[in-house]
mmCIF file of all heavy atoms in Angstrom:
data_model
loop_
_atom_site.group_PDB
_atom_site.id
_atom_site.type_symbol
_atom_site.label_atom_id
_atom_site.label_comp_id
_atom_site.label_asym_id
_atom_site.label_seq_id
_atom_site.Cartn_x
_atom_site.Cartn_y
_atom_site.Cartn_z
ATOM 1 N N LYS A 1418 145.125 84.762 48.494
ATOM 2 C CA LYS A 1418 144.373 85.943 48.060
ATOM 3 C C LYS A 1418 143.536 85.642 46.823
ATOM 4 O O LYS A 1418 143.656 86.302 45.787
ATOM 5 C CB LYS A 1418 145.322 87.132 47.767
ATOM 6 C CG LYS A 1418 146.133 87.541 48.977
ATOM 7 C CD LYS A 1418 146.720 88.926 48.793
ATOM 8 C CE LYS A 1418 147.749 89.218 49.857
ATOM 9 N NZ LYS A 1418 148.967 88.395 49.748
ATOM 10 N N LEU A 1419 142.718 84.622 46.937
ATOM 11 C CA LEU A 1419 141.894 84.231 45.808
ATOM 12 C C LEU A 1419 140.513 84.861 45.913
ATOM 13 O O LEU A 1419 139.874 84.784 46.952
ATOM 14 C CB LEU A 1419 141.749 82.705 45.763
ATOM 15 C CG LEU A 1419 143.064 81.940 45.630
ATOM 16 C CD1 LEU A 1419 142.812 80.458 45.772
ATOM 17 C CD2 LEU A 1419 143.721 82.248 44.303
ATOM 18 N N GLN A 1420 140.095 85.448 44.803
ATOM 19 C CA GLN A 1420 138.765 86.068 44.784
ATOM 20 C C GLN A 1420 137.688 85.024 44.971
ATOM 21 O O GLN A 1420 137.867 83.852 44.663
ATOM 22 C CB GLN A 1420 138.537 86.764 43.444
ATOM 23 C CG GLN A 1420 138.689 88.259 43.501
ATOM 24 C CD GLN A 1420 140.109 88.674 43.696
ATOM 25 O OE1 GLN A 1420 141.006 87.841 43.775
ATOM 26 N NE2 GLN A 1420 140.356 89.954 43.804
ATOM 27 N N GLN A 1421 136.526 85.490 45.433
ATOM 28 C CA GLN A 1421 135.404 84.576 45.624
ATOM 29 C C GLN A 1421 135.024 83.889 44.328
ATOM 30 O O GLN A 1421 134.479 82.801 44.310
ATOM 31 C CB GLN A 1421 134.186 85.340 46.182
ATOM 32 C CG GLN A 1421 134.331 85.742 47.635
ATOM 33 C CD GLN A 1421 134.601 84.557 48.551
ATOM 34 O OE1 GLN A 1421 134.029 83.485 48.384
ATOM 35 N NE2 GLN A 1421 135.499 84.731 49.503
ATOM 36 N N GLY A 1422 135.322 84.550 43.214
ATOM 37 C CA GLY A 1422 134.947 83.993 41.924
ATOM 38 C C GLY A 1422 135.636 82.687 41.595
ATOM 39 O O GLY A 1422 135.182 81.901 40.769
ATOM 40 N N ILE A 1423 136.787 82.445 42.252
ATOM 41 C CA ILE A 1423 137.517 81.223 41.942
ATOM 42 C C ILE A 1423 137.067 80.126 42.890
ATOM 43 O O ILE A 1423 137.251 80.208 44.100
ATOM 44 C CB ILE A 1423 139.037 81.461 42.057
ATOM 45 C CG1 ILE A 1423 139.425 82.521 41.007
ATOM 46 C CG2 ILE A 1423 139.807 80.189 41.845
ATOM 47 C CD1 ILE A 1423 140.858 82.929 41.071
ATOM 48 N N SER A 1424 136.492 79.091 42.309
ATOM 49 C CA SER A 1424 135.940 78.027 43.135
ATOM 50 C C SER A 1424 137.031 77.093 43.630
ATOM 51 O O SER A 1424 137.933 76.724 42.891
ATOM 52 C CB SER A 1424 134.937 77.229 42.306
ATOM 53 O OG SER A 1424 134.739 75.968 42.894
ATOM 54 N N LEU A 1425 136.959 76.737 44.901
ATOM 55 C CA LEU A 1425 137.944 75.816 45.448
ATOM 56 C C LEU A 1425 137.322 74.466 45.779
ATOM 57 O O LEU A 1425 137.914 73.640 46.456
ATOM 58 C CB LEU A 1425 138.582 76.420 46.712
ATOM 59 C CG LEU A 1425 139.371 77.705 46.483
ATOM 60 C CD1 LEU A 1425 139.894 78.242 47.795
ATOM 61 C CD2 LEU A 1425 140.541 77.454 45.542
ATOM 62 N N VAL A 1426 136.118 74.285 45.321
ATOM 63 C CA VAL A 1426 135.413 73.044 45.639
ATOM 64 C C VAL A 1426 136.058 71.850 44.944
ATOM 65 O O VAL A 1426 136.252 70.801 45.534
ATOM 66 C CB VAL A 1426 133.918 73.167 45.216
ATOM 67 C CG1 VAL A 1426 133.236 71.834 45.301
ATOM 68 C CG2 VAL A 1426 133.224 74.180 46.109
ATOM 69 N N ASP A 1427 136.414 72.047 43.668
ATOM 70 C CA ASP A 1427 137.069 70.976 42.929
ATOM 71 C C ASP A 1427 138.545 70.964 43.292
ATOM 72 O O ASP A 1427 139.280 71.887 42.956
ATOM 73 C CB ASP A 1427 136.872 71.228 41.429
ATOM 74 C CG ASP A 1427 137.522 70.150 40.574
ATOM 75 O OD1 ASP A 1427 138.348 69.378 41.101
ATOM 76 O OD2 ASP A 1427 137.204 70.091 39.386
ATOM 77 N N ARG A 1428 138.983 69.909 43.990
ATOM 78 C CA ARG A 1428 140.374 69.848 44.467
ATOM 79 C C ARG A 1428 141.386 69.952 43.344
ATOM 80 O O ARG A 1428 142.444 70.543 43.511
ATOM 81 C CB ARG A 1428 140.633 68.516 45.187
ATOM 82 C CG ARG A 1428 139.908 68.373 46.477
ATOM 83 C CD ARG A 1428 140.654 68.999 47.605
ATOM 84 N NE ARG A 1428 139.745 69.449 48.623
ATOM 85 C CZ ARG A 1428 140.116 69.842 49.826
ATOM 86 N NH1 ARG A 1428 141.384 69.813 50.145
ATOM 87 N NH2 ARG A 1428 139.226 70.242 50.685
ATOM 88 N N SER A 1429 141.089 69.321 42.194
ATOM 89 C CA SER A 1429 142.041 69.346 41.083
ATOM 90 C C SER A 1429 142.229 70.765 40.585
ATOM 91 O O SER A 1429 143.354 71.230 40.407
ATOM 92 C CB SER A 1429 141.537 68.490 39.928
ATOM 93 O OG SER A 1429 141.037 67.300 40.424
#
Side-chain angles (χ1 to χ4, degrees):
Chain A
K1418 300 197 192 68
L1419 300 173
Q1420 257 70 1
Q1421 287 303 320
I1423 297 176
S1424 160
L1425 297 177
V1426 170
D1427 180 345
R1428 292 275 151 169
S1429 316

